[in-house]
Amino acid sequence: QVQLVESGGGLVQAGGSLRLSCGASGPSLSQNAMGWFRQAPGKEREFTAAISWSGNSIYLDSVAGRFTISRDNAKNTVYLQMDILRPEDTAVYYCALKADEDASYYEAKYSYWGQGTQVTVSS
């Protein structure tokens, strides 16, 4: 099966930065869109950012301009650069992989998920 391995979460003060990484491996990977979702305590999981195979990206409105998603297709790896972090960004961040190449806002379109990495932003 496909496995997604995440890294880069941690504890930072408001205004700080983190970079999340997620590498995908498995027998059936081919030109896959990838994305990030997050889940804060007491809330539903929420779309955060996604990137198509060709590099087109989409964002949750509240993170646009502060977060940047990128990818290295040769490594099947997606990154989320998180700048000017706010306490409301505190959540578990999940990496996801889609079967086709088009980025999507909808978590149901993604086929595989990582275990999640905790991001905590203090005020």
Side-chain angles (χ1 to χ4, degrees):
Q1 66 172 36
V2 172
Q3 185 172 11
L4 303 177
V5 179
E6 300 154 323
S7 63
L11 173 64
V12 297
Q13 290 188 317
S17 297
L18 287 171
R19 190 173 83 144
L20 308 183
S21 299
C22 174
S25 62
S28 60
L29 297 176
S30 180
Q31 299 182 347
N32 306 98
M34 300 183 74
W36 292 93
F37 292 75
R38 66 186 186 181
Q39 187 168 23
K43 295 186 177 181
E44 297 294 313
R45 189 155 61 187
E46 176 183 51
F47 169 80
T48 307
I51 186 166
S52 72
W53 170 258
S54 63
N56 296 317
S57 58
I58 54 176
Y59 296 91
L60 175 69
D61 285 347
S62 64
V63 310
R66 299 186 298 118
F67 292 10
T68 303
I69 189 169
S70 61
R71 65 184 298 158
D72 184 335
N73 290 345
K75 297 180 179 179
N76 286 315
T77 299
V78 65
Y79 307 92
L80 188 66
Q81 178 66 43
M82 309 165 69
D83 297 319
I84 320 175
L85 283 161
R86 303 167 179 169
E88 54 263 42
D89 295 319
T90 295
V92 177
Y93 283 71
Y94 297 91
C95 175
L97 183 143
K98 196 165 179 281
D100 62 36
E101 65 186 28
D102 301 313
S104 176
Y105 297 94
Y106 307 111
E107 66 178 87
K109 298 292 187 179
Y110 292 82
S111 298
Y112 301 97
W113 296 82
Q115 295 292 326
T117 185
Q118 178 70 49
V119 172
T120 302
V121 185
S122 65
S123 60

